[in-house]
């Protein structure tokens, strides 16, 4: 099918990530959208950088409006940021009858009502998943996944800079000013960090979520902001003593008399999952009247995480813009792919880490025998415990030997266990459980 | 706009929840779908129960196929379960050219390929968000939110019964058999719990997720299953000592030579968020090449959580089936609603809990003064700490008094704090931070 053409306005961090992922995963994306999605034109101040990232075959401009007005561009992607040029780009695209995908939280939070009204008049779509919480598909969850619910409240850790600082303050008992310097050094905070640490960025995103959750206009000017720069280490300490963590939390809640819309350092019970979201990660907790509480967690910023959401919007817009029934069905139906030839691996071929527990006679040499067998099978040990096991009176002393392995193939583990079980010093079968680090 | 008509096959737990939520939130749902969604006909073995739940104006049958063949039904919702009648219902609906929404994990996991192939031939949609992890919109996240990614792996706690049992075994150091009895008593486990505790239910859901994540056919017969019934309390203890939790984890992972598809009790580092998902809640962790790791958490079962996903699918199918551009746009554009009149509350009107820290002279009577002022303002105290603060030599002894309050209105708190700060024994300003329990 004929490709859909994207006009990329801004080839900075997110623009670069978008171009990179669109290229790397072009097959998957084309299959899911029903047609290829290609960058037809792009605009950036620095043309050399743009050319490096978008490759050949893309018409380059230093003026974004030329991309917007390009006759061959179907969807305009606005990744410039701010509310001056970006606003003109988005409104011009709408006037041109072109769909818009943006990551611009400030623009949507401050001018969303005007932008959406114009889009509705012209019958075009404005998508902004990437504007809130980076790669986490929270807008889609609020607007589609939870559409059966009356939303009661939304609470989010939605600014990575401030969450990183608060995590460090707690982990190290350090003062705000010292941690801020560290964050700046690591690139997690800007030279002028005001926007992140005083809650502006979080409030932009919260405002957008409140509009989707409650069906109200975006009202950023009414949001209450309180940042983290006056937070003292001693309060983090006392909060912990009382069983709480302090997070810069955006809260929007429906009350009989109105809607709460506020960002402030807030104590949360330590046992809540969201209280344990640390570093630069984001998380949003949503309470709906039918589903109860649901939590969404992931990378709230970064080139490829944010690009993930930009492209999810491009695929959505492409599917909906391509009106024929043929292309609507694969959306919800299964479509076998080139991958259909990839077999399901039998359990023997699985490669993972293992927990092993052996019951052994408590004597020297047993451990050496066991570790020798594992080493011979190329199974390397990550951790080991040995614990005495109390036996009936008169019986020989026995011990539990617990081993955690690094990655190993199941059939090799099984073969090694058979040898271990054959040792005279080992009693019965070895308990074998799999172990997943779930970090990559 | 003309309502879309639903044929509800099965008015059990989920069917009842679906009818209830469709009624209660009919306005929101109609606005989001672009037209009302109404139950036109329903089938259930017990007609009285069905009538109670669906109300008047719905044609009732005891034979689901009559609902499927009803000339006025547009979308068939299959909530019968199992793979005999339910399979006939779904295939007949497809033959009739009707869209299908189902919560039936067993049916999709075991017959999905045939069902999707038929649906594609007939150009109808088959939606199954409710079949995996109850109210968590995980299918939508995998298929749409993360569509820019090559999925690397999916790991899920997707059976509430077994997760409840494992949580209890760890919290109480109890044996499996004892906890199972308790779970049965509480209604979290069936009289015959095999399906849940031996991993069949989790494997059905995992199989479906693997098909969406990797674009492969559903291959339930190839899934590896290992349940929790042989798990010993001592292994949970050792795992914890080594820094791990044990969960019944479904894992599907892309390898160069194939796809892993396995459910087994698995150790996970205790610091992972997913390791701390307890009780009957579910969570799925997904690793994508662009976005990294994202986590989705919520109620995996229950009448209204599952109904939340059934209805989300109904809204999706309705939007897509209603092909005109007019109704596609509101999908992604903002639509001001009747709620637009609900004002954003000024911060003074916000009602929440508070953390207060006062610096006071360490003498009797101070605490009484402070608690009197709070009581007079109707601010009730949840917890309190008093901690000495070391001062410069020769200076009077001072103390930090920390107070956690129950729900209070901000302006009342501010007024009380002004009075407290006016006390001679209080030094400087009171530190005030908000506190959110985030439990309802």
């Amino acid at each position: 099918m004929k490709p859909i053409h994207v006009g990329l306005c801004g080839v900075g961090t997110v623009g670069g990530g978008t171009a990179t992922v669109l290229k790397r995963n072009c097959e998957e994306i084309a299959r899911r959208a029903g047609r290829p999605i290609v960058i037809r034109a792009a605009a950036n101040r620095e043309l050399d950088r743009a050319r490096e990232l978008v490759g050949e075959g893309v018409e380059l401009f230093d003026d974004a409006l030329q991309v917007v007005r390009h006759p061959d561009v179907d969807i305009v992607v606005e990744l410039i940021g701010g509310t001056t040029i970006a606003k003109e780009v988005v409104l011009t695209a709408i006037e041109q009858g072109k769909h818009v995908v943006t990551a611009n939280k400030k623009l949507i939070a401050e001018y969303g009502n005007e932008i959406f009204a114009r889009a509705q008049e012209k019958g075009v779509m404005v998508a902004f998943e990437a504007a809130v919480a980076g790669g986490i598909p929270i807008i889609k969850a609020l607007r589609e996944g939870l559409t059966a619910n009356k939303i009661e409240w939304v609470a989010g850790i939605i600014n990575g800079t401030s969450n990183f600082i608060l995590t460090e303050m707690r982990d190290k008992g350090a003062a705000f000013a010292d941690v801020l310097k560290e964050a700046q050094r690591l690139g997690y905070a800007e030279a002028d960090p005001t926007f992140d640490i005083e809650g502006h960025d979080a409030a932009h995103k919260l405002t957008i979520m409140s509009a989707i959750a409650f069906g109200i206009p975006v009202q950023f000017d009414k949001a209450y902001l309180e940042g983290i720069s006056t937070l003292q280490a001693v309060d983090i300490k006392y909060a912990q003593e009382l069983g709480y963590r302090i997070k810069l939390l955006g809260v929007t809640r429906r009350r009989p008399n109105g809607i709460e819309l506020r960002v402030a350092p807030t104590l949360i019970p330590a046992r809540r999952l969201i209280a344990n979201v640390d570093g630069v990660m984001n998380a949003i907790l949503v309470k709906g009247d039918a589903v109860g509480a649901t939590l969404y967690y992931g990378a709230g910023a970064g080139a490829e995480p944010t690009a993930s959401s930009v492209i999810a919007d491009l695929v959505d817009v492409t599917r909906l813009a391509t009106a024929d029934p043929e292309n609507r069905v694969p959306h919800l139906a299964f479509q076998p792919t080139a991958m259909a030839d990839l077999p399901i691996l039998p359990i023997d071929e699985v490669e993972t880490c293992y927990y092993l527990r052996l019951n052994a006679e408590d004597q020297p040499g047993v451990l050496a025998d066991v570790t020798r067998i594992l080493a011979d099978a190329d199974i390397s040990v990550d951790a080991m415990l040995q614990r005495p096991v109390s036996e009936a009176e008169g019986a020989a002393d026995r011990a539990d030997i617990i081993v955690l392995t690094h990655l190993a193939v199941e059939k090799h583990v099984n073969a090694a266990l058979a040898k271990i079980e054959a040792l005279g010093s080992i009693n019965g079968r070895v308990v074998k459980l799999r172990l997943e680090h779930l970090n990559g």
Side-chain angles (χ1 to χ4, degrees), chain A:
Chain A
M1 212 192 164
K2 185 173 157 315
I4 204 160
H5 287 139
V6 168
L8 186 60
C9 299
V11 195
T13 305
V14 180
T18 301
T20 302
V21 177
L22 271 176
K23 199 179 308 174
R24 185 173 74 231
N25 294 343
C26 57
E27 268 191 51
E28 279 87 351
I29 293 167
R31 180 165 40 83
R32 292 163 182 169
R35 56 199 285 198
I37 300 180
V38 301
I39 302 174
R40 176 70 181 79
N44 202 45
R45 277 202 212 120
E46 290 157 52
L47 293 173
D48 290 340
R49 172 192 161 83
R51 178 61 69 199
E52 246 185 80
L53 286 156
V54 302
E56 302 304 313
V58 174
E59 229 176 306
L60 283 188
F61 303 89
D62 61 6
D63 171 13
L65 289 172
Q66 290 193 268
V67 170
V68 176
R69 296 200 169 98
H70 197 295
D72 266 358
V73 161
D74 305 307
I75 307 176
V76 171
V77 178
E78 185 275 298
L79 299 174
I80 296 166
T83 49
T84 46
I85 302 172
K87 186 179 177 197
E88 197 180 356
V89 161
V90 169
L91 290 176
T92 309
I94 294 170
E95 289 316 304
Q96 297 266 312
K98 293 177 182 176
H99 304 295
V100 174
V101 172
T102 178
N104 196 331
K105 52 205 70 80
K106 187 166 156 67
L107 183 66
I108 300 296
E110 295 181 19
Y111 296 98
N113 304 321
E114 175 188 349
I115 289 171
F116 294 134
R118 297 275 274 277
Q120 195 155 336
E121 283 167 33
K122 298 289 294 190
V124 296
M125 290 173 267
V126 175
F128 46 92
E129 182 71 72
V132 181
I136 309 173
I138 182 61
I139 299 299
K140 184 171 272 289
L142 278 172
R143 191 182 45 213
E144 300 170 39
L146 304 180
T147 198
N149 294 264
K150 282 190 181 73
I151 305 293
E152 298 178 10
W153 51 256
V154 180
I157 295 171
I158 43 184
N159 179 268
T161 302
S162 49
N163 199 50
F164 173 83
I165 291 172
L166 290 174
T167 304
E168 290 289 294
M169 283 181 74
R170 173 183 167 258
D171 285 351
K172 305 192 157 94
F176 171 80
D178 298 325
V179 178
L180 173 60
K181 280 201 199 71
E182 179 67 9
Q184 284 164 325
R185 200 183 61 75
L186 290 168
Y188 289 142
E190 312 265 346
D192 177 3
T194 311
F195 200 69
D196 290 314
I197 64 174
E198 296 306 344
H200 298 264
D201 176 70
H204 279 142
K205 297 163 182 172
L206 181 71
T207 297
I208 296 171
M209 290 196 290
S210 79
I212 303 291
F214 303 121
I216 57 173
V218 280
Q219 293 164 83
F220 175 70
D221 54 312
K222 301 237 173 59
Y224 172 80
L225 272 64
E226 197 180 303
I228 62 168
S229 60
T230 55
L231 196 60
Q232 297 178 52
V234 69
D235 292 307
I236 294 182
K237 183 173 76 80
Y238 286 137
Q240 185 151 319
E241 212 180 310
L242 288 157
Y244 293 84
R245 298 272 158 84
I246 301 186
K247 296 294 191 184
L248 184 66
L249 197 68
V251 176
T252 184
R253 174 182 278 117
R254 177 205 304 254
R255 292 266 183 217
N257 53 331
I259 304 283
E260 293 183 12
L261 187 65
R262 52 192 172 89
V263 174
T266 306
L267 278 70
I268 307 170
R271 66 185 171 286
R272 296 277 175 264
L273 279 190
I274 197 172
N276 294 282
V277 170
D278 289 333
V280 293
M281 299 304 272
N282 283 188
I284 298 113
L285 194 55
V286 184
K287 176 87 188 297
D289 69 331
V291 71
T294 48
L295 177 84
Y296 309 85
Y297 161 93
E304 291 208 5
T306 314
S308 174
S309 285
V310 170
I311 297 169
D313 274 346
L314 284 173
V315 174
D316 264 1
V317 170
T318 299
R319 282 175 177 153
L320 289 163
T322 305
D324 71 282
E326 185 66 29
N327 264 306
R328 278 206 311 276
V329 173
H331 181 210
L332 281 169
F334 168 74
Q335 227 178 355
T337 72
M339 287 205 66
D341 295 334
L342 222 60
I344 301 295
L345 295 172
I347 193 66
D348 278 355
E349 301 295 326
V350 156
E351 190 184 17
T352 184
C353 304
Y354 292 84
Y355 162 102
L356 308 170
R357 177 167 59 84
L358 342 160
N359 186 278
E361 273 165 40
D362 193 359
Q363 61 192 37
V366 179
L367 209 52
D369 288 340
V370 169
T371 48
R372 166 59 48 204
I373 290 170
L374 292 176
D376 287 348
D378 252 322
I379 297 165
S380 69
V381 171
D382 175 37
M384 190 180 283
L385 290 180
Q386 193 162 319
R387 293 281 178 274
V389 177
S390 47
E391 297 286 330
E393 204 175 302
D397 283 336
R398 304 202 67 87
D400 272 337
I401 298 174
I402 298 98
V403 176
L404 299 187
T405 77
H406 286 297
L407 279 177
V409 177
E410 180 117 352
K411 60 188 175 192
H412 301 160
V413 174
N414 289 341
L417 295 193
K419 292 201 176 105
I420 288 171
E421 284 162 0
L423 292 171
S425 51
I426 299 299
N427 187 37
R429 304 294 302 275
V430 177
V431 169
K432 175 189 86 183
L433 296 170
R434 292 168 199 83
L435 188 157
E436 288 281 338
H437 289 282
L438 296 181
N439 55 2

